[in-house]
Amino acid sequence: MARQARAIQTRTSILLAAAEVFDERGYSTATITEIIARAGVTKGALYFHFSSKEDLALGVIAAQLELGPLPAQRTKLQELTDQGLLFAHQLQHDPLTRASVGLAMDQWSESGENGEGGNPFHGRPFQEWADRLTELLVEARKRGELLPHVDPAETAELLSGAFTGIQWTSQVLCQRRDLTRRVIAMFRHLLPSVAMPQILPTLELTPERAVALLASRDAALEAEEAEDGEGDAA
Amino acid sequence: MARQARAIQTRTSILLAAAEVFDERGYSTATITEIIARAGVTKGALYFHFSSKEDLALGVIAAQLELGPLPAQRTKLQELTDQGLLFAHQLQHDPLTRASVGLAMDQWSESGENGEGGNPFHGRPFQEWADRLTELLVEARKRGELLPHVDPAETAELLSGAFTGIQWTSQVLCQRRDLTRRVIAMFRHLLPSVAMPQILPTLELTPERAVALLASRDAALEAEEAEDGEGDAA
């Protein structure tokens, strides 16, 4: 059990180090040597967990997607805007999230030098985000939260694409310092074309909301772990 | 006069070749040697017009921004949506436009390898697009086309950021084949939060519009050239 816990810890340190190095250098110029040094692990330990640089990058992307669901809210549209606010917050504060988006957007990665247009991570996370948002919007439709003409897949695709560009321009212009403000402006412009009029005033769209959400998620996770512990003891 | 025309032609061939090579390889892996070969010019000719690879890239970006104004429309909001539709069309069909956006979005270009986060083209075109859209929206406001609460700079920033991400995801997922459809969906979602209700039904947002706009712009340019010719003769 202690060995398993240590293995999980090593894997996590490697992923965090890899995320930082990818975030700072980009995929093509990052080296495994630097990731090993940053993580403070042996070469053997790294290759025990990850077979290649590409494997490490896939691990970083997967870790970001594993962040777990947020606490349920009164409306599915609140959950949808919460996802956006939280994602903006994580991009500002979490190297894993930043590296994951960086990997997905890296245009000319190593394998692209043969002219094949080759980032192997391209597309995947964007399709995955659009799929998640579609699911949320389909749920929102079932609950009567959407205007009748809304096509969930089309709106999800728009949100995913628009968010991608908004976080990107915010990064380029000011290191994402104004990202939360920009994401709120996006939702304020888009929601009147999506939500039933009576839902609009119930939606909480504030810069402080992401931190509150994280606190309540952490509290929920801790409660769950405490329960699991009891289960083990029984 | 013949010599000047030849020089302009040479400069244009070099820019088109550079745009193609930047578009295919990205900035960092593109070489001047390849651009010279592609353009079919001598090294001397290239260095007569452009002092470096960075200078070539700035030339590509400037050429894209020079495309010239579109014919005036009944409303400023129609002109704004026309800009979006035309930009989507050019991204699908014009290597100069594609290369310009590619250069602006290239994340880890040569000068970035020192960890300085260094693409020298970053930000500029995005700020420039946002500024142009702000001007159009300020004009639209003067003409009574905007809802009272609209902040032109905020809406322009949103349109510029959202468009950036939409064209990017469309490129990654399907080589921009569905870009026009995605841009129309963006405007259909956003405009009700921006335009006075009586303006909305007057806006023409069709996939065919970009080609019609280009034809009328070319006709206007030809008419202008014909006039200039007459002026020379007089």
Side-chain angles (χ1 to χ4, degrees):
Chain A
M1 195 57 185
R3 185 180 291 178
Q4 201 194 328
R6 209 159 53 232
I8 290 173
Q9 206 179 10
T10 304
R11 192 174 185 280
T12 306
S13 324
I14 295 169
L15 278 180
L16 281 173
E20 284 175 17
V21 175
F22 288 141
D23 188 31
E24 290 164 21
R25 305 225 172 282
Y27 180 72
S28 8
T29 41
T31 64
I32 290 200
T33 313
E34 189 172 359
I35 293 167
I36 287 169
R38 183 81 61 106
V41 298
T42 63
K43 198 172 166 176
L46 186 134
Y47 281 106
F48 174 76
H49 291 284
F50 300 98
S51 63
S52 63
K53 191 164 85 169
E54 181 169 334
D55 199 26
L56 272 164
L58 289 171
V60 167
I61 291 175
Q64 194 270 316
L65 291 168
E66 265 164 29
L67 283 177
L70 288 169
Q73 303 293 331
R74 260 191 304 172
T75 62
K76 284 289 155 184
L77 285 178
Q78 182 68 63
E79 292 180 19
L80 180 130
T81 53
D82 284 354
Q83 294 274 357
L85 289 172
L86 192 69
F87 201 3
H89 181 269
Q90 299 289 73
L91 278 168
Q92 289 170 86
H93 300 101
D94 173 42
L96 261 179
T97 306
R98 257 204 309 274
S100 170
V101 169
L103 287 167
M105 294 195 73
D106 194 348
Q107 291 189 294
W108 290 285
S109 60
E110 238 161 46
S111 47
E113 281 171 20
N114 52 12
E116 290 288 291
N119 177 344
F121 318 113
H122 255 170
R124 275 188 235 188
F126 299 94
Q127 197 51 59
E128 199 143 340
W129 294 330
D131 291 348
R132 277 190 189 194
L133 294 172
T134 303
E135 274 171 42
L136 269 172
L137 286 164
V138 166
E139 270 303 308
R141 148 128 318 143
K142 283 186 197 150
R143 298 183 181 199
E145 298 175 19
L146 301 192
L147 290 169
H149 67 270
V150 173
D151 169 353
E154 185 190 64
T155 299
E157 197 179 78
L158 171 61
L159 282 167
S160 160
F163 188 99
T164 301
I166 287 164
Q167 68 80 26
W168 194 89
T169 41
S170 170
Q171 178 203 352
V172 163
L173 295 174
C174 63
Q175 297 292 316
R176 296 201 180 97
R177 273 193 300 275
D178 66 2
L179 181 55
T180 299
R181 179 180 67 67
R182 283 175 185 251
V183 167
I184 290 174
M186 175 187 78
F187 282 128
R188 288 207 189 288
H189 276 78
L190 286 174
L191 286 168
S193 297
V194 174
M196 290 295 275
Q198 68 271 27
I199 303 287
L200 283 176
T202 74
L203 296 174
E204 210 185 303
L205 267 173
T206 64
E208 300 76 28
R209 193 163 165 88
V211 173
L213 283 167
L214 281 177
S216 80
R217 188 194 64 182
D218 290 350
L221 285 176
E222 266 169 43
E224 219 170 88
E225 271 167 34
E227 250 176 54
D228 282 359
E230 279 167 33
D232 280 358
Chain B
M1 193 56 183
R3 186 180 291 178
Q4 200 194 330
R6 208 160 53 232
I8 291 176
Q9 202 177 15
T10 304
R11 193 173 184 280
T12 307
S13 323
I14 295 169
L15 279 179
L16 280 173
E20 284 176 15
V21 174
F22 288 142
D23 187 32
E24 290 164 21
R25 305 225 173 282
Y27 180 72
S28 10
T29 42
T31 64
I32 289 201
T33 313
E34 190 173 357
I35 293 168
I36 287 169
R38 183 81 61 106
V41 298
T42 62
K43 199 172 167 178
L46 186 133
Y47 281 106
F48 174 77
H49 291 283
F50 301 98
S51 63
S52 63
K53 192 163 84 167
E54 181 169 334
D55 199 26
L56 272 164
L58 289 171
V60 167
I61 292 175
Q64 195 269 315
L65 291 168
E66 266 165 29
L67 282 177
L70 288 170
Q73 304 292 331
R74 259 191 305 172
T75 63
K76 283 289 156 185
L77 285 178
Q78 181 69 60
E79 291 179 19
L80 180 131
T81 53
D82 283 353
Q83 295 274 358
L85 289 172
L86 192 68
F87 201 3
H89 181 270
Q90 300 290 73
L91 278 167
Q92 291 169 82
H93 299 102
D94 173 41
L96 261 179
T97 306
R98 259 204 308 274
S100 168
V101 170
L103 287 167
M105 295 196 72
D106 195 348
Q107 290 188 295
W108 291 285
S109 59
E110 238 161 46
S111 46
E113 280 170 22
N114 52 10
E116 290 287 292
N119 177 343
F121 317 113
H122 256 169
R124 273 188 238 187
F126 299 95
Q127 198 50 59
E128 197 142 342
W129 294 330
D131 291 348
R132 276 190 192 196
L133 293 173
T134 304
E135 275 172 40
L136 269 172
L137 286 164
V138 166
E139 270 301 309
R141 149 129 318 143
K142 283 188 199 152
R143 298 186 183 197
E145 298 175 19
L146 301 192
L147 290 170
H149 67 271
V150 173
D151 170 352
E154 184 190 65
T155 300
E157 198 179 77
L158 170 61
L159 281 168
S160 160
F163 189 98
T164 301
I166 287 165
Q167 66 80 25
W168 195 89
T169 42
S170 169
Q171 179 203 353
V172 162
L173 295 174
C174 64
Q175 297 292 317
R176 297 201 179 96
R177 273 193 300 275
D178 66 2
L179 180 55
T180 298
R181 180 179 67 67
R182 283 176 185 251
V183 168
I184 290 174
M186 175 187 80
F187 282 127
R188 289 206 188 288
H189 278 78
L190 287 173
L191 286 168
S193 296
V194 174
M196 290 294 272
Q198 68 272 27
I199 303 286
L200 284 176
T202 73
L203 297 173
E204 208 184 305
L205 267 172
T206 64
E208 299 76 29
R209 193 161 165 89
V211 172
L213 284 167
L214 283 177
S216 80
R217 188 194 64 184
D218 290 350
L221 285 176
E222 265 170 43
E224 219 170 87
E225 270 167 34
E227 249 175 56
D228 282 0
E230 278 167 32
D232 279 359

Coordinates of all heavy atoms in Angstrom, one line a residue, chain B residues 36 74 77-78 87 89 98 102 106 122 126 133 140 167 172 184 192 196 203 231:
Chain B
I36 N 13.2 31.6 -51.6 CA 13.8 32.0 -52.8 C 13.5 31.0 -54.0 O 13.1 31.4 -55.1 CB 15.3 32.1 -52.6 CG1 15.7 33.3 -51.8 CG2 16.1 32.2 -54.0 CD1 17.1 33.4 -51.3
R74 N -25.9 49.2 -46.3 CA -27.0 50.0 -45.7 C -26.7 50.2 -44.2 O -27.1 51.3 -43.6 CB -28.3 49.2 -45.8 CG -29.1 49.7 -46.9 CD -30.5 49.0 -46.8 NE -30.4 47.6 -46.8 CZ -31.4 46.7 -46.6 NH1 -32.6 47.2 -46.3 NH2 -31.2 45.4 -46.6
L77 N -23.6 47.4 -39.1 CA -23.6 46.0 -38.7 C -23.5 45.0 -39.8 O -22.9 44.0 -39.7 CB -24.8 45.7 -37.8 CG -24.7 46.3 -36.4 CD1 -26.0 46.0 -35.6 CD2 -23.5 45.8 -35.6
Q78 N -24.1 45.4 -41.0 CA -23.9 44.5 -42.2 C -22.4 44.6 -42.6 O -21.9 43.5 -42.9 CB -24.8 45.0 -43.3 CG -24.7 44.2 -44.6 CD -25.3 42.8 -44.4 OE1 -26.4 42.6 -44.1 NE2 -24.4 41.7 -44.5
F87 N -13.5 37.3 -44.2 CA -12.3 36.8 -43.5 C -12.3 35.2 -43.6 O -11.3 34.6 -43.8 CB -12.2 37.3 -42.1 CG -10.9 37.3 -41.5 CD1 -9.7 36.9 -42.2 CD2 -10.7 37.7 -40.2 CE1 -8.5 36.8 -41.6 CE2 -9.4 37.7 -39.6 CZ -8.3 37.2 -40.3
H89 N -13.9 33.4 -45.7 CA -13.7 33.0 -47.1 C -12.2 33.0 -47.4 O -11.6 32.1 -48.0 CB -14.5 33.9 -48.0 CG -14.4 33.5 -49.5 ND1 -13.4 34.1 -50.3 CD2 -15.1 32.7 -50.2 CE1 -13.5 33.6 -51.5 NE2 -14.5 32.7 -51.5
R98 N -4.1 33.1 -44.7 CA -3.8 31.9 -43.9 C -2.5 32.0 -43.2 O -2.3 31.8 -42.0 CB -3.8 30.6 -44.8 CG -5.1 29.8 -44.6 CD -4.8 28.4 -45.0 NE -4.2 28.2 -46.3 CZ -4.8 28.2 -47.4 NH1 -6.1 28.3 -47.5 NH2 -4.1 28.0 -48.5
G102 N -1.6 32.3 -39.3 CA -0.6 31.3 -38.8 C 0.5 32.0 -38.1 O 0.9 31.6 -37.0
D106 N 1.5 31.4 -34.2 CA 2.6 30.5 -34.0 C 3.2 30.7 -32.6 O 3.6 31.8 -32.2 CB 3.7 30.9 -35.0 CG 4.8 29.8 -35.1 OD1 4.8 28.9 -34.2 OD2 5.6 29.8 -36.0
H122 N 3.1 38.1 -32.3 CA 2.0 37.9 -31.4 C 1.2 39.1 -31.1 O 1.9 40.2 -30.8 CB 2.5 37.3 -30.1 CG 2.3 35.8 -29.9 ND1 2.9 35.1 -29.0 CD2 1.5 35.0 -30.6 CE1 2.5 33.9 -29.1 NE2 1.7 33.8 -30.1
F126 N -4.2 40.9 -33.7 CA -5.4 40.7 -32.9 C -5.9 42.0 -32.4 O -7.1 42.4 -32.4 CB -5.2 39.7 -31.8 CG -4.8 38.4 -32.3 CD1 -3.5 38.0 -32.5 CD2 -5.8 37.5 -32.8 CE1 -3.1 36.8 -33.1 CE2 -5.5 36.3 -33.4 CZ -4.1 35.9 -33.5
L133 N -12.8 46.6 -35.5 CA -14.2 46.3 -35.1 C -14.8 47.3 -34.2 O -16.0 47.7 -34.3 CB -14.3 44.9 -34.5 CG -13.9 43.7 -35.5 CD1 -13.9 42.4 -34.7 CD2 -15.0 43.6 -36.6
A140 N -21.7 52.3 -35.8 CA -23.0 51.7 -35.7 C -23.8 52.4 -34.6 O -25.0 52.6 -34.8 CB -22.9 50.2 -35.5
Q167 N -12.0 29.9 -36.0 CA -11.3 29.5 -37.2 C -10.2 28.5 -36.8 O -9.9 27.6 -37.6 CB -10.7 30.8 -37.9 CG -9.6 31.6 -37.2 CD -8.2 30.9 -37.3 OE1 -7.9 30.2 -38.3 NE2 -7.4 31.2 -36.3
V172 N -8.3 22.9 -37.2 CA -7.8 21.6 -36.6 C -8.7 20.5 -36.9 O -8.3 19.3 -37.2 CB -7.6 21.9 -35.1 CG1 -7.5 20.6 -34.4 CG2 -6.4 22.8 -34.8
I184 N -21.2 32.0 -39.3 CA -22.6 32.4 -39.3 C -23.3 32.1 -38.0 O -24.0 32.9 -37.4 CB -23.3 31.8 -40.5 CG1 -22.8 32.4 -41.8 CG2 -24.9 31.9 -40.4 CD1 -23.3 31.7 -43.1
P192 N -28.2 39.2 -31.5 CA -29.4 39.7 -30.7 C -29.0 40.4 -29.5 O -29.8 41.2 -28.9 CB -30.1 38.4 -30.4 CG -29.7 37.4 -31.5 CD -28.3 37.8 -31.8
M196 N -30.1 46.6 -32.5 CA -31.5 46.9 -32.3 C -32.3 45.9 -33.0 O -32.0 45.5 -34.1 CB -31.7 48.3 -32.8 CG -31.0 49.4 -32.0 SD -31.7 49.6 -30.3 CE -33.0 50.7 -30.7
L203 N -30.1 42.0 -41.8 CA -28.7 41.5 -42.0 C -28.7 40.3 -42.8 O -29.4 39.3 -42.6 CB -28.1 41.3 -40.6 CG -27.9 42.5 -39.7 CD1 -27.4 42.1 -38.3 CD2 -27.0 43.5 -40.4
G231 N -6.9 59.8 -65.6 CA -6.2 60.9 -64.9 C -4.7 61.0 -65.5 O -4.3 62.1 -65.8

